[in-house]
Amino acid sequence: MRIPLVAASVCVIAGVGLSGTAGAQTAAGASTAQPAYGVPHAVAAPPAVLAENRIYRSGTASPLSCPIPEIREGSAASLKTFHRSMARCADRFWAARFKAAGLAYTSPKVAITTGSSSVCGKITSNGAQYCPAQRTVAIRIMKRDLTDPFKMNIAHSVAHEWGHHVQQLTGMLDEQNRLYWRARGTARSIVSHRLEMQAECFAGVFYSAALDSVDPGITWDQWIGAVREAEESKVHGKPRNLAYWQNRGYTSGSAGSCNTWKATIARVS
């Protein structure tokens, strides 16, 4: 059994740099100080929308049964069906968690293509993006998905990007955007890592309820081992930390375990 150790599956691209609000932000006069959570010195602690968000009080997820089909090698139609089935499953899961937290939930749009263009611009070689302004999960079916459809890699395109949708609906993505554009150097990287690792953790929370439906063909420990050994990404941070947060979400089954904004820099580097 081959487990691909590829950054594309683990480190999909968030739409932060493509956000419609990002261009309106200014970094003029931003401090170069780099406090513990990687935001400008003027802010003494993580803003409440990040550190005390109501989604953290959404409770522990119950098992969720979703009709997710197998993937036929070489079939783009089969992959599209798989992605859309995953999307419906993630939508059901997060709608229930938002209700439990007393938060309003709206579904994102899902755009799947075999090309490189999406509603938020060109999709990178990683194959998936979240487009905040359009509230859209954009997925590109890659050639490797057709020739070697490793189910857990493909499923993660949906699970991780849905984590960014959760951040958007709860106000965390916009707040992270503001902090990102005010920060510099290492501080900016840490802000980015906190966002991405939280999306990994949210994906893990989803898997805690729905992994049996995905039926990935490998054990959870094998998957986390592959994540830990993946290629490092400047935007997303060290694979060992990405694996830590995804596993933390999975083992806890609760978004309350995903508060990366209060974690030490060592845990989000």
Side-chain angles (χ1 to χ4, degrees):
M1 182 186 304
R2 185 177 69 85
I3 303 175
L5 304 181
V6 291
S9 63
V10 177
C11 302
V12 284
I13 299 298
V16 177
L18 301 172
S19 171
T21 60
Q25 301 299 323
T26 175
S31 170
T32 57
Q34 298 176 14
Y37 62 102
V39 300
H41 181 69
V43 183
V49 69
L50 299 175
E52 308 296 339
N53 201 284
R54 285 171 64 182
I55 195 63
Y56 301 145
R57 302 193 294 274
S58 59
T60 303
S62 299
L64 179 65
S65 179
C66 297
I68 299 175
E70 294 298 316
I71 301 170
R72 299 192 307 277
E73 185 176 330
S75 172
S78 174
L79 280 163
K80 288 180 180 180
T81 299
F82 179 83
H83 279 304
R84 294 199 180 279
S85 298
M86 281 291 302
R88 286 191 292 270
C89 189
D91 207 46
R92 283 176 54 198
F93 176 81
W94 284 111
R97 304 295 7 111
F98 271 62
K99 183 177 180 180
L103 293 167
Y105 180 82
T106 56
S107 305
K109 296 177 182 178
V110 178
I112 306 170
T113 180
T114 55
S116 60
S117 297
S118 75
V119 295
C120 56
K122 185 176 181 179
I123 301 178
T124 69
S125 59
N126 289 315
Q129 292 175 330
Y130 179 67
C131 314
Q134 297 84 1
R135 303 284 177 93
T136 297
V137 173
I139 299 169
R140 179 186 183 186
I141 293 176
M142 310 296 289
K143 288 183 179 179
R144 63 172 174 268
D145 299 331
L146 291 167
T147 59
D148 187 14
F150 181 59
K151 193 187 292 185
M152 195 64 181
N153 273 1
I154 297 167
H156 201 63
S157 294
V158 172
H160 178 99
E161 299 308 334
W162 227 273
H164 287 312
H165 184 60
V166 170
Q167 292 168 325
Q168 174 70 11
L169 293 181
T170 55
M172 290 191 280
L173 191 55
D174 283 346
E175 185 61 34
Q176 187 269 355
N177 225 4
R178 285 188 283 271
L179 297 179
Y180 180 88
W181 290 107
R182 291 169 58 194
R184 288 289 188 271
T186 303
R188 177 174 283 191
S189 294
I190 293 298
V191 171
S192 174
H193 295 172
R194 290 188 191 280
L195 186 83
E196 294 300 332
M197 291 184 188
Q198 184 174 62
E200 286 292 284
C201 188
F202 285 157
V205 174
F206 166 67
Y207 292 140
S208 74
L211 191 65
D212 285 348
S213 292
V214 177
D215 188 21
I218 60 171
T219 67
W220 180 254
D221 285 345
Q222 285 175 318
W223 168 249
I224 288 299
V227 175
R228 192 177 292 114
E229 297 300 322
E231 182 180 346
E232 186 167 345
S233 161
K234 181 179 179 180
V235 172
H236 298 78
K238 296 184 183 300
R240 67 170 181 268
N241 283 333
L242 291 162
Y244 168 83
W245 285 105
Q246 192 179 149
N247 190 55
R248 182 178 170 92
Y250 177 81
T251 56
S252 71
S254 170
S257 67
C258 298
N259 192 344
T260 57
W261 306 98
K262 287 187 173 181
T264 65
I265 283 184
R267 187 51 75 189
V268 294
S269 62

